[in-house]
Amino acid sequence: KVNSVGTEVLSLGAYEVTSSWDEDTLNWHGTPDDATEAEDVTTVTEDVTPEWVNWEIDSLVQDWIDGSIDNHGVVIKSVDETEEGSYKAFYSSEWGTDAVKKTECPKLTVTYYEP
């Protein structure tokens, strides 16, 4: 779920991460490389009520499954990183109690079918 701060509506993209990274050494100044084009873009409103936000990354996931690209994950960021005055904050998978994690933390939902 996202919490919104500021009065701006932001367009957030889901970008393929294109290089490996380590959770223990990752920081604001040392981020992995990512794609220049977003897999999908979602507009997040200025509403401060926490709400679920979704991105459709079917093509990227299929490429991971068939092995045509390495899975280094995705990064969510503004499609215009020069915008100022607002930000959107997402809960991490480590945030809160176990009960809260089930309802508030990020999750990946995969829908598939067997042909």
Side-chain angles (χ1 to χ4, degrees):
K1 289 188 174 180
V2 64
N3 276 319
S4 183
V5 176
T7 59
E8 300 297 319
V9 174
L10 291 179
S11 294
L12 300 177
Y15 294 81
E16 172 196 357
V17 176
T18 58
S19 64
S20 60
W21 54 280
D22 181 344
E23 180 178 0
D24 293 330
T25 60
L26 188 66
N27 62 49
W28 190 256
H29 300 288
T31 60
D33 297 329
D34 58 79
T36 57
E37 294 293 320
E39 292 291 321
D40 190 31
V41 175
T42 297
T43 300
V44 180
T45 67
E46 68 278 1
D47 187 3
V48 295
T49 304
E51 62 183 57
W52 286 107
V53 180
N54 301 296
W55 290 268
E56 300 291 331
I57 58 170
D58 305 15
S59 177
L60 179 59
V61 171
Q62 185 59 53
D63 290 344
W64 292 339
I65 291 169
D66 67 25
S68 61
I69 61 172
D70 292 333
N71 178 357
H72 298 293
V74 295
V75 60
I76 305 299
K77 64 181 185 176
S78 175
V79 296
D80 180 1
E81 292 191 291
T82 64
E83 290 183 82
E84 296 181 13
S86 292
Y87 68 88
K88 307 306 177 195
F90 294 87
Y91 297 120
S92 75
S93 58
E94 289 87 19
W95 183 83
T97 65
D98 286 340
V100 171
K101 288 178 184 180
K102 292 178 182 177
T103 60
E104 304 292 327
C105 292
K107 64 181 178 178
L108 174 64
T109 302
V110 178
T111 305
Y112 68 95
Y113 70 96
E114 294 186 38

